[in-house]
Amino acid sequence: MTGSTHAHADAPHHPVFVGKVREQLDALFPKYPTKQACLLPALWMVQEARGWISPAAIAEVAEVLGLTPAYVRGVATFYTMYHLHPVGRHFIQVCGTSPCHLCGSDEVLKAILGATGCGELGATSADGRFTVVEVECLGACGFATPVLIDDDFHDSVTPERVAGILARYP
Amino acid sequence: MSDLVNVTIDGVQISVPKGTPIIEAAKQAGVLVPHYCYHPSLPSPAVCRMCLVEVEKAPKLVPACVTTVADGNVIHVNNDKSKRARESVLEFLLINHPLDCPICDQAGECELQDYTFQEGRAGTRYSDYAKRYNPVEDFGPDVLYVANRCILCTRCVRFMDNVAGDAVLNVSERGDRAFIGIDPDHLLDHPWAGNVVDLCPVGSLISKDFLHKARAWDLDKTASVCTGCSQGCNTMIDTRDDVVVRLRPRPNLDVNRHFICDEGRADYRWMNRGDRIEAPLVRDGAKLTPTDWDHAVERLGALAKTARRVVILASGRASTESLGFVRRMVDGATVTAAIKVPLGPEAPLAGVPNLALRKERVPNLAGAGLLGYGAEWPAAVAAVKGADLVVVLDAVLDDADVAALAGAAAVVVIGTVDDDRLAGATLILPSTNVAEENGTFVNRDHRVQRYFQAKPAPGLARPAWWIAAEATHAARGLAAPATAAEAFAALGAMVPALAGLSYADLGHTGRVVSPTTAGAAR
Ligand code: SF4
Ligand code: SF4
Ligand code: FES
């Protein structure tokens, strides 16, 4: 997800599965019994390349894997980790599960929402830089509050550390 | 037989073939296992858990729709344990259900309503929580999706995917946010898509055509056969106050399983037409005079007896009985008989072998064939010139056909709808349409199938077989059948393939007869 480009919902769709990405996908096929089984990785590739999965990209994935767009959409909407709307250049996930909550994740979240300019959960900052969401357990309860920015893991985040961390994500 | 297993279901002992799902075995024992996702014409995903039943010695309840019977199984569908499971499933389903039965078209034929009434909780434990809300969506030409009522059984998704082969529906999102999604670039416009409305066990997928037209308990239901094409799908005619308001599929595993096509489904408005011929009209010099049947059949009999060259122009919707007796009425003459067969594109239902909306858009092509009616319409129209008598049996004529009628010495119209262009006829006799009579059609696989009278005939209209048989009786003294059953039984004398067959033999799903005139009934 690092370095994902910000895209608009109405931008024309340029195929994802060409060149390198196509080769990546083709290399996966022999590892699975059916093309359909490559659906989840294929969706990841789209998200990696475009930052989100547009309806046009869903149609492309369907075409490439011999499925129907409706089927692909059903699967894509099942998993919360696929973005079906454009998100900021950097995607921030803050843990809000009980242990972190007890250790003050609320305050961390508030600080991040303020510092990024996002204001509310799920919204993208006006400069297109950040989108913030709250997630359930990131599996690091001993390091409350953990924050995932793109693929980078930050542990023991406190409101005071927020500004410094965000500065690393232009 | 070794491939039979013995099981006991709610105390009833039966033997069923190995591999039978419990739910089907229970049916044979006369026990209904409440269910939602299971449908005999769809693959079973076992997602709704409504069909959980207790099998003695099994560690927990099992889904009856996918669990096959084993020899010696003792199964309880209606004991406390199974009932409690169903009660819980119903409680879950109702957490978000709007309970808008008073404005829901499904009310009265809703499986959620029925099972809840039968064995659900009387009250809710969730009254403090707001229900999930989603707007109604337009899914296609005749389908609306009321998401709030959906119980996510996925029957509709599986029908489009596994049966229609046009997977435009999906389950979107998950958990309590889940709903049925449709590909935004597609509509539910597959030629068989309307079946999702029937498959939906609740009022979630509803027909725009039927929207708020009638309450289910005000409908009268009559077994019929679709007149849309030569496939001969079995249908149910729903009437309200003697007006046909809806056609639905009637199961026949050998013909249409549980489905009908959208074209057939929509093809009922003509049955309600008000511009009907209501009394026999006979020509006296320049004008047509209304008269009674005694006089009318006498005139018809006299015409038929003396005519030496006769042409019959018939509708492919005429019953086998009517085609037979009209043909017999002119026995002895040189007869050219044909039915008009409109053609259209074929539209198969991929998942069911030998089921398609057929090119030939008439229901009784094969029946007409058995009785000596051809499908060479232009040749029959050409033969009108110089004929002594033309019998128009409810055929829909175009202007060229009507113009050709002038070449015949006499024209008799036996028909349903009043047609000004035929005012020059010698006799105009009112007949009943498919919804107003009992009769049979023979489908393309030579299956003879019965349809039943769904509403009263207008005015003095009579089945065409009755009119023709009475005329023959008047002119030649041949016995006339009094009922459609007698008329059908008498067809055996005209068509060897039908010999010895009675309505009772046909039942509700029909009988295949040999297409050759020599053969007897199978
Ligand atoms: S719309 Fe009807 S058939 Fe489809 S999943 Fe919902 S309840 Fe089942
Ligand atoms: S396939 Fe033919 S017989 Fe069946 S419903 Fe359609 S029109 Fe009627
Ligand atoms: S009918 Fe068996 S689980 Fe749905």
Side-chain angles (χ1 to χ4, degrees), chain B residues 92-376:
Chain B
F92 274 126
L93 292 176
L94 290 175
I95 290 177
N96 275 312
H97 194 85
L99 294 175
D100 56 347
C101 312
I103 54 156
C104 177
D105 272 346
Q106 192 84 4
E109 51 189 21
C110 171
E111 290 166 48
L112 186 58
Q113 204 179 35
D114 290 350
Y115 295 145
T116 303
F117 180 73
Q118 203 172 295
E119 50 192 18
R121 301 175 66 93
T124 176
R125 295 189 286 180
Y126 293 84
S127 51
D128 292 345
Y129 302 88
K131 297 193 177 199
R132 169 203 63 190
Y133 180 82
N134 285 310
V136 174
E137 274 183 74
D138 186 352
F139 265 14
D142 189 40
V143 185
L144 288 179
Y145 176 54
V146 186
N148 295 335
R149 297 177 188 149
C150 179
I151 59 168
L152 291 163
C153 67
T154 74
R155 281 192 200 177
C156 54
V157 178
R158 280 173 284 137
F159 174 78
M160 291 311 295
D161 195 352
N162 303 93
V163 182
D166 184 22
V168 296
L169 298 182
N170 65 28
V171 180
S172 288
E173 309 262 342
R174 62 171 144 152
D176 73 336
R177 287 195 305 269
F179 60 92
I180 297 304
I182 183 162
D183 183 341
D185 296 328
H186 287 90
L187 289 174
L188 217 45
D189 57 3
H190 185 277
W192 293 77
N195 289 296
V196 297
V197 172
D198 309 323
L199 288 169
C200 184
V202 297
S204 189
L205 292 170
I206 50 180
S207 157
K208 292 183 201 171
D209 183 56
F210 187 65
L211 195 64
H212 304 327
K213 248 195 205 171
R215 305 304 297 178
W217 49 87
D218 286 335
L219 297 175
D220 292 310
K221 294 175 179 292
T222 310
S224 192
V225 174
C226 178
T227 57
C229 80
S230 60
Q231 176 74 33
C233 294
N234 291 203
T235 57
M236 193 68 89
I237 296 184
D238 286 359
T239 52
R240 185 194 174 194
D241 299 337
D242 296 336
V243 174
V244 180
V245 291
R246 174 171 76 172
L247 296 184
R248 296 189 115 188
R250 179 166 59 88
N252 185 333
L253 299 186
D254 296 320
V255 179
N256 55 310
R257 290 206 67 96
H258 295 82
F259 311 121
I260 57 174
C261 77
D262 288 11
E263 194 170 314
R265 186 184 296 269
D267 189 25
Y268 66 86
R269 288 198 163 70
W270 60 272
M271 297 175 196
N272 298 325
R273 280 179 74 154
D275 52 344
R276 297 285 295 271
I277 309 167
E278 296 204 358
L281 302 172
V282 297
R283 180 160 299 282
D284 288 318
K287 65 181 207 316
L288 285 166
T289 325
T291 183
D292 59 19
W293 276 116
D294 283 349
H295 181 51
V297 297
E298 209 170 285
R299 292 275 300 263
L300 176 59
L303 272 175
K305 190 174 179 182
T306 51
R308 266 170 306 158
R309 275 193 52 208
V310 178
V311 178
I312 306 175
L313 301 176
S315 158
R317 278 180 188 159
S319 68
T320 318
E321 293 78 357
S322 292
L323 291 167
F325 278 90
V326 168
R327 178 67 187 75
R328 192 187 72 160
M329 178 175 74
V330 293
D331 264 356
T334 309
V335 180
T336 310
I339 60 165
K340 194 168 198 175
V341 185
L343 298 175
E346 182 135 341
L349 182 60
V352 182
N354 197 27
L355 178 55
L357 164 60
R358 303 293 178 180
K359 277 206 276 306
E360 301 81 12
R361 299 290 213 264
V362 293
N364 209 8
L365 182 58
L370 285 178
L371 286 153
Y373 289 72
E376 295 80 31

Side-chain angles (χ1 to χ4, degrees), chain B residues 23 34-38 46-51 63-66:
Chain B
I23 200 166
H35 58 277
Y36 290 119
C37 66
Y38 175 78
V47 293
C48 74
R49 316 313 280 180
M50 186 63 182
C51 67
C65 60
V66 289

